Amino acid sequence: MNPPAIPMRTIALDRAVTGAGAPAAKSRCLAVLLPGRWDEPERFREAGFARAVAERDLDVDLVAVDSHLGYFRDRSIVERLRLDVIAPAKASGYDTIWIVGTSLGGLGGLLYLRDHPEDLSGVLALAPYLGESELIGEIEAAGGARKWTPPASYAATDIGRELWSWLTPWLAGPQSVPLHIGWGSQDKLGRSNRLVADALPTAEVYNVAGGHDWKTWEELWEAFLDRTPICRRAR
């Protein structure tokens, strides 16, 4: 496992160079892309995320972040994103910022939404990791996310119960920041993802044929771009 780097390594997808921090704003909209556990940020370029934006003539800049497992293990993921990516982006002129995360990156987006919703215009979680199967079974047995009662206490290492202890009341209340979720119909994490989807507006839920892989996530990304006007180029 790589140790957390300070600052986080980032890649502006429309440029050939890599560096740290958010790019200088060319539009007013930025999508911050967080990869999964075993993936490098370069995978977003290879998977066609930038191409999909260009084909739709959308006024959105993309920055991919090397938000690897080390940042989750030492619980620095949210703070490093805030200091190394989000705050510099806001300072450079972005006023619309989305976090888009795949798998573990989706968890990172949710944790950031929990701690700093004021920084975000929305989160797109693609097949996010939401906890171990035992916990997901508990929530299902309770009748879903809105009926599950968070425990009075849980182990400091239990990120799943920590997440759902916030997410359950958040889903039941008014949501000032939209959360979109998508997954493939054969995805191993679809069971947990569906628990969140059942508590969201149908317009914020995406499901396509596929598994836990980049081909599926790219298709979900395209569906999201087609449905959600995060920023369109002025003509």
Side-chain angles (χ1 to χ4, degrees):
M1 181 181 67
N2 295 332
I6 301 176
M8 301 177 99
R9 184 173 72 92
T10 63
I11 300 172
L13 292 197
D14 59 345
R15 302 178 188 179
V17 298
T18 64
K26 295 193 298 181
S27 76
R28 299 181 68 178
C29 299
L30 179 69
V32 177
L33 311 178
L34 309 182
R37 180 175 182 176
W38 305 117
D39 288 318
E40 300 284 340
E42 289 83 357
R43 288 299 302 274
F44 284 102
R45 179 185 288 128
E46 297 166 7
F49 275 58
R51 174 191 50 75
V53 168
E55 288 177 349
R56 289 159 177 78
D57 198 27
L58 301 180
D59 193 15
V60 184
D61 291 341
L62 303 177
V63 60
V65 184
D66 192 10
S67 52
H68 57 71
L69 184 61
Y71 295 100
F72 291 84
R73 285 276 176 83
D74 74 0
R75 297 302 185 97
S76 67
I77 180 64
V78 171
E79 189 69 355
R80 292 267 51 97
L81 281 172
R82 186 179 70 85
L83 293 177
D84 299 340
V85 183
I86 305 295
K90 293 171 68 175
S92 73
Y94 290 108
D95 58 15
T96 300
I97 299 175
W98 282 72
I99 289 181
V100 178
T102 59
S103 195
L104 186 66
L107 171 62
L110 288 167
L111 294 175
Y112 199 97
L113 176 61
R114 178 194 65 183
D115 292 353
H116 299 289
E118 70 281 358
D119 289 343
L120 300 178
S121 297
V123 171
L124 171 61
L126 299 177
Y129 169 77
L130 300 174
E132 297 301 313
S133 59
E134 178 184 357
L135 169 61
I136 302 310
E138 287 180 19
I139 299 172
E140 290 174 333
R146 289 176 172 168
K147 295 183 178 180
W148 180 72
T149 301
S153 62
Y154 45 81
T157 56
D158 194 340
I159 189 64
R161 284 181 173 78
E162 176 186 331
L163 174 71
W164 281 96
S165 293
W166 159 76
L167 188 56
T168 295
W170 186 87
L171 288 169
Q175 297 150 16
S176 59
V177 178
L179 168 62
H180 294 239
I181 190 167
W183 69 96
S185 57
Q186 288 81 48
D187 195 316
K188 60 186 178 182
L189 299 183
R191 179 182 168 202
S192 62
N193 291 182
R194 193 171 290 106
L195 288 172
V196 175
D198 287 345
L200 292 175
T202 56
E204 297 174 4
V205 176
Y206 310 82
N207 188 237
V208 299
H212 198 76
D213 55 60
W214 281 97
K215 181 179 182 295
T216 302
W217 299 334
E218 196 275 336
E219 186 175 345
L220 290 165
W221 170 241
E222 291 194 350
F224 167 76
L225 293 177
D226 288 339
R227 192 189 299 178
T228 308
I230 53 176
C231 271
R232 297 194 180 276
R233 189 176 302 282
R235 295 197 182 271

